[in-house]
Amino acid sequence: MSIASNVQLLPEVEAFLNRNSLASYVGGKAFPAASGATIATIDPGSGNKLAEIHDLDASEVDRAVDIANDAFPAWAALPVDQRSKILLQLADAVEKHKAIIGQIEALDAGKIEAQAQGDVQNFVDTLRYFVGLSQQVNPRTKLDVPGHDAWTYKQPWGACAFIFPWNFPFLLIGWGISPALAAGNTVVIKPAEDTSLSAIYLAELATQVGVPDGVINVVTGRGATAGAALSNNKKIKRMSFTGSPEVGQMVGESCGRNLVPVKLELGGKGAAVVFDDVDVKATAEALVGAITFHAGQVCCDATRWLIHENIYDEFEGYCVDLMKDIRIGHPLDPNSQMGPVVNPKQRERVLGYLEKGQAQGAKCLVGGGAATVDGFQGNYIQPALLSGSLDNTAAREEIFGPVAYLTKFSGEAEAIGMVNDTEYGLANSVWTKDKDRANRVAESMTAGNSWINAHNVFAQGVPYGGVNKSGMGGGVLSVETLMDYYRSTSVVRPLG
Ligand code: NAD
């Protein structure tokens, strides 16, 4: 496989990509589309084809759900220690293959290779976290009911469905399926059509380390067919969707019709509130680092930067200099700081918002166009900084690219009002040395997550989720998430 002369592929990655086509994986084996239909998956950094994935139709997705439901009773019946042992073997195997999976992910999603490896480690840590928690769950809880013997009994649901986006394909699979598997459910994963490779690799690896057939299934294909079939399937016991609010609404409608419990993890338009007592340079570095991380394709990013008027000019100056210096390049080039966006459509979307924003009066302080990288025809964009009124479309809608919107404020209440003037509610941050003010503002911002003097901090055990247009259904990554994957039966016996 030829990507470019300065990009070296691991032999295992070459071998994986050199197969004629990469089928879905269901019931412990390759699960090709009967029609033979495939979708090309492209390296966003070079525009070259990496492989073909199979484009399943609705009946094939339905069959995968049946296979997952068939595998459920035996998986659920395993004592928790035995199930844990198998899942920990999977965690170990993924960790051992980190370089391979990381490179596949970097190529498929256009993610800087070191960051992709970090995502793989995050998967491993998440799986180990939920396996550990599941060993603490007591399935029976005695209830204190006078004159009765009463208890609740927790058990897994069955086949759980997951639909994922393209920005953090492998990490999000870990966040999604780990609690479900640890609780004893089987899973059907529908990855995004642009980034299905790491999911297929995972499912194959799972079989190699002894995960029973049908416990982890991957169905590839288009959202409107394979994704819609999964969310419309009446035999799935739970649905978890991560992606855009528009598709999330459709998935929510289908699940509502079928009375299937659903989790929706959706988009965001987060803010960072920067007070005038901060280290201005360090804060500018942190926020520029956050908005250029994975080319700004991060749902919880701070995209509206609200800066106290006393430090606004100084802050703007640092940000402009920092953004000019970002080294844009192919994700496998170790010198690259920022890679491409995932596909040409996404690049057009980002450039379109830059145009619309300026047409509505925003000033472009730096960047604002396509970027070129020598030797590569990828979807590269210059990181950009807009400034102006928050009524602007570019300040109100999710752009999902390396674009931040700068504006100034003079008082705390005004800043909180600006943060909360949005349909979204995923994640915000406040930056100040004043602890009381930081705590007050953090608790006043309407969202699932607030950070203080940091942005994008994730730790297993800290719940992560959104409100309003950013999501519903309880979020991910915490003890509560594990409990979502058990259903509860109460049992009551009158005494005497
Ligand atoms: P998307 O909604 O276009 O696609 C997500 C998934 O849904 C893909 O697998 C796609 O194939 C599938 N899909 C598309 N149409 C479907 C349909 N009709 N029925 C069922 N499934 C369908 O989102 P995207 O462009 O892949 O991802 C970007 C979005 O994801 C952004 O809005 C981002 O903020 C959000 N996101 C949120 C989180 C979070 O945790 N809150 C995390 C990552 C990304």
Side-chain angles (χ1 to χ4, degrees):
M1 156 133 333
S2 144
I3 301 289
S5 57
N6 59 342
V7 166
Q8 291 303 318
L9 295 191
L10 296 167
E12 296 88 343
V13 174
E14 286 244 26
F16 182 70
L17 297 177
N18 277 341
R19 297 195 214 158
N20 280 339
S21 66
L22 291 161
S24 294
Y25 198 84
V26 175
K29 53 180 186 290
F31 189 78
S35 68
T38 57
I39 304 170
T41 186
I42 307 291
D43 165 17
S46 68
N48 294 341
K49 188 173 89 177
L50 293 170
E52 301 271 346
I53 58 157
H54 285 228
D55 187 10
L56 297 189
D57 68 20
S59 69
E60 290 164 330
V61 171
D62 290 346
R63 193 139 48 85
V65 172
D66 288 345
I67 289 169
N69 269 321
D70 289 347
F72 169 69
W75 180 243
L78 279 183
V80 69
D81 280 356
Q82 278 185 41
R83 197 163 53 235
S84 298
K85 192 169 163 218
I86 295 170
L87 291 175
L88 292 176
Q89 277 165 359
L90 178 61
D92 292 348
V94 169
E95 195 168 43
K96 201 168 143 213
H97 291 75
K98 182 159 60 179
I100 298 167
I101 302 172
Q103 193 167 83
I104 290 171
E105 186 86 330
L107 280 171
D108 206 19
K111 193 176 280 260
I112 297 295
E113 191 171 13
Q115 294 169 8
Q117 288 194 13
D119 288 2
V120 179
Q121 188 61 48
N122 191 296
F123 175 106
V124 171
D125 297 343
T126 303
L127 184 52
R128 287 180 181 151
Y129 166 74
F130 280 112
V131 168
L133 277 186
S134 71
Q135 292 171 327
Q136 311 297 321
V137 173
N138 185 349
R140 289 180 186 81
T141 308
K142 181 138 180 55
L143 302 173
D144 191 11
V145 185
H148 295 78
D149 190 11
W151 68 95
T152 56
Y153 178 61
K154 289 185 202 56
Q155 53 196 308
W157 295 80
C160 297
F162 294 84
I163 301 179
F164 291 111
W166 43 256
N167 60 340
F168 286 85
F170 201 72
L171 174 146
L172 290 174
I173 290 177
W175 289 11
I177 70 171
S178 298
L181 292 170
N185 301 278
T186 55
V187 301
V188 181
I189 300 165
K190 153 70 180 86
E193 40 275 60
D194 279 315
T195 57
S196 297
L197 298 185
S198 58
I200 297 170
Y201 193 93
L202 171 73
E204 294 182 2
L205 193 60
T207 298
Q208 287 163 29
V209 300
V211 175
D213 296 348
V215 170
I216 300 179
N217 306 282
V218 173
V219 292
T220 55
R222 298 180 197 281
T225 47
L230 193 56
S231 58
N232 277 305
N233 188 296
K234 293 185 174 147
K235 296 184 194 163
I236 57 172
K237 303 299 179 207
R238 288 192 66 93
M239 161 59 73
S240 167
F241 171 83
T242 311
S244 62
E246 296 70 28
V247 178
Q249 280 172 328
M250 289 194 263
V251 170
E253 277 176 26
S254 310
C255 291
R257 241 189 342 267
N258 295 335
L259 302 178
V260 168
V262 61
K263 261 181 196 296
L264 301 175
E265 310 294 334
L266 309 175
K269 191 72 189 175
V273 181
V274 183
F275 285 94
D276 58 357
D277 59 350
V278 297
D279 177 333
V280 179
K281 185 162 179 254
T283 309
E285 281 169 357
L287 287 174
V288 170
I291 196 67
T292 52
F293 181 77
H294 197 28
Q297 302 164 112
V298 180
C299 51
C300 48
D301 239 331
T303 52
R304 297 177 294 147
W305 297 354
L306 316 181
I307 313 300
H308 194 277
E309 58 188 0
N310 292 347
I311 55 162
Y312 183 90
D313 291 341
E314 189 189 356
F315 184 86
E316 177 189 305
Y318 280 127
C319 291
V320 168
D321 290 347
L322 287 163
M323 278 200 174
K324 277 189 194 147
D325 285 349
I326 296 287
R327 292 187 307 277
I328 303 171
H330 191 277
L332 297 198
D333 179 343
N335 293 316
S336 303
Q337 277 178 300
M338 192 180 95
V341 295
V342 72
N343 56 33
K345 189 171 152 218
Q346 188 63 20
R347 182 165 67 168
E348 290 317 305
R349 176 188 164 99
V350 177
L351 297 179
Y353 270 112
L354 284 164
E355 257 177 46
K356 266 188 269 176
Q358 289 176 84
Q360 289 177 17
K363 194 167 153 202
C364 188
L365 303 169
V366 63
T372 51
V373 173
D374 279 351
F376 295 101
Q377 299 293 317
N379 315 310
Y380 297 100
I381 300 180
Q382 301 165 21
L385 203 53
L386 297 175
S387 72
S389 152
L390 289 180
D391 292 336
N392 193 293
T393 302
R396 301 202 70 79
E397 296 181 9
E398 186 182 40
I399 298 175
F400 225 52
V403 181
Y405 200 99
L406 210 56
T407 203
K408 57 177 91 160
F409 72 90
S410 52
E412 183 179 315
E414 182 196 9
I416 293 169
M418 287 168 146
V419 172
N420 292 340
D421 183 18
T422 173
E423 294 178 285
Y424 291 96
L426 190 53
N428 302 296
S429 55
V430 52
W431 302 72
T432 174
K433 291 192 177 118
D434 179 337
K435 278 194 181 156
D436 289 339
R437 178 164 63 189
N439 296 351
R440 214 167 41 235
V441 174
E443 292 182 0
S444 305
M445 299 190 288
T446 309
N449 317 274
S450 285
W451 291 297
I452 296 173
N453 297 333
H455 205 97
N456 295 345
V457 185
F458 293 99
Q460 286 81 12
V462 178
Y464 174 73
V467 298
N468 299 335
K469 202 176 165 181
S470 292
M472 58 170 243
V476 294
L477 264 190
S478 72
V479 178
E480 290 83 357
T481 322
L482 177 67
M483 301 323 288
D484 287 339
Y485 286 96
Y486 298 97
R487 64 182 180 81
S488 185
T489 304
S490 65
V491 185
V492 183
R493 176 184 13 228
L495 294 174

